[in-house]
């Protein structure tokens, strides 16, 4: 029976009508740009591929600023997420909205509901017709594959787990770093459809919790690739756990827990507690965390059944989508642990090589080298492909089984690195697109690989932008509240 039929048989059993959304189809309401909710929010001119926005205030004010200042980009990002996710899940956007309203929206706490509803109001002021369920669907888009796979298993179907690979990351401290303090780095693997839109720096000052500086996508209240720092001294990133299976539709969405942990964590224990509380198994990750106050780092491998927290003040942890804990790997993944040629295992080997080579020398410059590394540890050649830390699946005739076909337009979208000193100043180094220098040209690629022509309307080039330092706004700094306003 087709997956789509299984999906609707399950939904029919629930006896629930499809979501109509909040105000979908209503005439767009125009509001003046002098709205007082915009008084503390502003947007700088784009630089090196990054869009910087400062959002500050109550949840409703933060949401309104987000929706108003990024309205064209949110509209565009929704189209890209919809095309990517509906193709991957073989569902319509209405199907995904139904799941978002049934399972995700009820678990969104009041604070983030107010932020999402404020975002809708900001969007409407710019003429957008998107509603709050569209935004919830966007925020949860990486969790749908986990939900759908679990649905098929319950129906007795054979499932080849296929959550997308996401990211290569490290965190180090003590004798491994140049100054003995923490250093953290991450690059974002994703399909290039959405990669080109992962270009926002959010400088977020909420009335509750901590000041956050994170990368992200227009319309998302969390980083989604989960690189960020807060003013309590916590640095956070992650990589997904490959071939993971398991999902609890009655628990809290990952996007809610990730945002909450970044906003409210003051210690590694706080972070672990907030991520585990209500864990639904969606977008299952190996989290790498640092506390710059005491130079401690940790790895939280967050399965649905198995949760493993390791920590040290002298060492390193790396991530490249491989499951670490043997029990978790056996019980909650289909990962080929015994295959040293699996792409993620090859990246894991390369991380070990780099950590040994750079012991005592790891700093931001070294981290930038790591995250743009093209050495294939299997062939021992410089060859950007699906086995290198800086991934370029578009150049691989092997692809990534279960996620990307050979020459699939996907790979690293951008990278970030920070050390303790930068985190103290609420800043980090960021390279949008391909800071490694190897560009992706959409028209040329589609001409050579017409099987991906379905992406043509929205697929963009991935450029080789330089690294730049992004920083939180200085106290009292303001900018134009008008769209595209500059500092």
């Amino acid at each position: 029976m087709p997956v789509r039929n299984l999906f609707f048989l399950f939904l029919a059993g629930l006896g629930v009508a499809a979501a109509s959304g909040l105000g979908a189809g209503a005439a767009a309401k125009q509001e003046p740009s002098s709205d007082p909710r915009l008084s503390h929010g502003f947007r700088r001119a784009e630089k090196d591929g990054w869009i910087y926005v400062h959002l500050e205030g109550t949840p409703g004010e933060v949401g309104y600023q987000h929706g108003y200042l990024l309205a064209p980009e949110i509209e565009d990002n929704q189209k890209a997420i919809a095309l990517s996710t509906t193709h991957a899940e073989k569902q319509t956007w209405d199907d995904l909205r139904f799941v978002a309203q049934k399972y995700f929206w009820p678990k969104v706490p009041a604070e983030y509901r107010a932020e999402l509803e404020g975002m809708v109001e900001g969007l409407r002021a710019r003429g957008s017709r998107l509603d709050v369920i569209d935004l919830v669907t966007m925020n949860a888009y990486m969790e749908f594959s986990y939900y759908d796979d679990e649905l098929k298993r319950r129906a007795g179907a054979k499932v080849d787990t296929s959550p997308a690979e996401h990211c290569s990351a490290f965190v180090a401290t003590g004798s491994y770093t140049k100054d003995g303090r923490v250093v953290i780095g991450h690059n974002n693997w994703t399909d290039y459809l959405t990669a080109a839109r992962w270009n926002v720096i959010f400088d977020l000052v909420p009335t509750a919790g901590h000041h956050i500086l994170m990368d992200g996508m227009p319309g998302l209240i969390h980083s989604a690739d989960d690189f960020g720092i807060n003013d309590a001294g916590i640095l956070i990133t992650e990589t997904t756990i490959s071939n993971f299976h398991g999902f609890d539709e009655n628990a809290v969405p990952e996007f809610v827990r990730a945002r909450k942990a970044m906003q409210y964590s003051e210690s590694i224990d706080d972070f672990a507690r907030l991520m585990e509380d209500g864990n639904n198994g969606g977008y299952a990750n190996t989290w790498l965390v640092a506390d710059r106050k005491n130079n401690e780092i940790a790895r939280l491998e967050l399965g649905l059944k198995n949760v493993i927290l390791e920590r040290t003040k002298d060492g390193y942890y790396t991530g490249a989508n491989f499951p670490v804990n043997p029990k978790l790997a056996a019980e909650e993944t289909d990962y080929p642990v015994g295959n040293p040629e699996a792409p993620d295992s090859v990246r894991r080997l390369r991380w070990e090589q780099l950590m040994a080579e750079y012991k005592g020398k790891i700093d931001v410059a070294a981290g930038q080298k790591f995250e743009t590394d093209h050495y294939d540890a299997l062939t021992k050649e410089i060859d950007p492909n699906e086995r290198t830390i800086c991934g370029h699946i578009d150049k691989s005739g092997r692809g990534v089984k279960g996620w990307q076909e050979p020459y699939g337009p996907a790979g690293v979208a951008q990278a970030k690195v920070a050390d303790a000193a930068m985190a103290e100043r609420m800043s980090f180094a960021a390279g949008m697109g391909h800071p490694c220098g190897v560009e992706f040209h959409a028209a040329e690629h589609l001409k050579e690989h017409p099987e991906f022509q379905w992406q043509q309307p929205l697929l963009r080039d991935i450029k080789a932008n330089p690294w730049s330092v992004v920083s939180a706004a200085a106290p009292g700094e303001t900018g134009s509240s008008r769209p595209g306003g500059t500092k």
Side-chain angles (χ1 to χ4, degrees), residues 230-252:
N230 71 24
D231 65 2
I234 305 302
L235 298 79
I236 300 166
T237 195
E238 47 82 356
T239 67
T240 54
I241 302 173
S242 286
N243 303 94
F244 187 87
H245 50 76
F247 187 86
D248 181 355
E249 67 271 20
N250 296 311
V252 180

Side-chain angles (χ1 to χ4, degrees), residues 136-466:
V136 174
T137 308
M138 291 171 66
N139 274 269
Y141 86 94
M142 286 183 288
E143 301 185 51
F144 285 106
S145 63
Y146 298 81
Y147 170 83
D148 286 345
D149 284 353
E150 183 64 19
L151 195 68
K152 293 176 223 175
R153 285 190 188 86
R154 293 180 189 176
K158 185 180 183 300
V159 180
D160 292 324
T161 53
S162 57
E165 310 283 298
H166 285 283
C167 316
S168 298
F170 77 95
V171 64
T173 193
S175 64
Y176 278 82
T177 62
K178 193 171 184 178
D179 64 1
R181 303 178 74 194
V182 299
V183 182
I184 193 168
H186 173 273
N187 67 30
N188 175 346
W189 291 50
T190 190
D191 64 80
Y192 291 157
L193 261 180
T194 56
R197 280 89 176 169
W198 223 305
N199 64 339
V200 182
I201 300 297
F202 287 100
D203 178 13
L204 175 58
V205 186
T207 51
H210 292 284
H211 185 175
I212 300 168
L213 187 72
M214 66 184 185
D215 72 325
M217 304 178 80
L220 273 57
I221 66 170
H222 60 133
S223 168
D225 74 347
D226 303 301
F227 185 92
I229 59 179
N230 71 24
D231 65 2
I234 305 302
L235 298 79
I236 300 166
T237 195
E238 47 82 356
T239 67
T240 54
I241 302 173
S242 286
N243 303 94
F244 187 87
H245 50 76
F247 187 86
D248 181 355
E249 67 271 20
N250 296 311
V252 180
E254 189 273 347
F255 79 84
V256 170
R257 291 177 288 112
R259 166 59 187 278
K260 189 174 181 179
M262 197 169 284
Q263 182 175 345
Y264 287 99
S265 294
E266 298 183 354
S267 66
I268 287 170
D269 289 321
D270 278 348
F271 176 82
R273 173 179 53 80
L274 290 168
M275 286 307 304
E276 190 175 356
D277 186 22
N279 177 20
N280 71 341
Y283 194 34
N285 291 314
T286 297
W287 294 86
L288 307 182
V289 190
D291 186 340
R292 64 168 173 78
K293 300 186 298 296
N294 60 11
N295 289 319
E296 185 177 24
I297 63 174
R299 175 168 59 198
L300 175 67
E301 197 170 16
L302 188 61
L304 186 59
K305 302 174 184 176
N306 299 279
V307 177
I308 303 95
L309 178 64
E310 304 167 83
R311 56 207 303 168
T312 184
K313 292 186 178 182
D314 186 11
Y316 67 88
Y317 299 110
T318 65
N321 309 125
F322 49 82
V324 179
N325 182 267
K327 187 171 184 290
L328 182 148
E331 295 180 358
E332 300 191 76
T333 80
D334 300 320
Y335 188 79
V337 175
N339 180 8
E341 297 185 7
D344 303 339
S345 296
V346 178
R347 282 192 286 150
R348 183 179 189 176
L349 173 60
R350 181 56 178 158
W351 272 125
E352 295 299 316
Q353 293 172 345
L354 288 170
M355 292 297 107
E357 180 182 350
Y358 280 82
K359 184 176 182 180
K361 298 180 288 185
I362 297 175
D363 57 8
V364 170
Q368 291 171 321
K369 290 180 182 179
F370 299 163
E371 299 298 349
T372 55
D373 185 78
H374 290 155
Y375 182 81
D376 185 333
L378 184 64
T379 63
K380 299 180 174 57
E381 296 176 349
I382 301 296
D383 177 22
N385 60 47
E386 85 286 6
R387 294 191 296 247
T388 53
I389 286 175
C390 182
H392 295 262
I393 300 169
D394 53 295
K395 295 186 175 299
S396 170
R398 295 173 294 270
V400 175
K401 185 179 179 181
W403 176 38
Q404 290 290 332
E405 296 299 319
Y407 303 107
V412 165
Q414 36 98 320
K416 296 82 51 184
V417 182
D419 63 11
M422 296 184 81
E424 287 172 358
R425 300 190 298 269
M426 292 295 288
S427 67
F428 55 80
M432 177 58 206
H434 282 162
C436 63
V438 179
E439 296 194 336
F440 169 81
H441 300 285
E444 294 176 13
H445 194 80
L446 293 180
K447 185 176 181 180
E448 294 176 7
H449 303 284
E451 63 271 27
F452 302 109
Q453 194 66 31
W454 60 273
Q455 301 185 31
Q456 187 277 331
L458 295 173
L459 188 64
R460 295 179 182 171
D461 295 346
I462 306 296
K463 298 180 180 179
N465 290 296

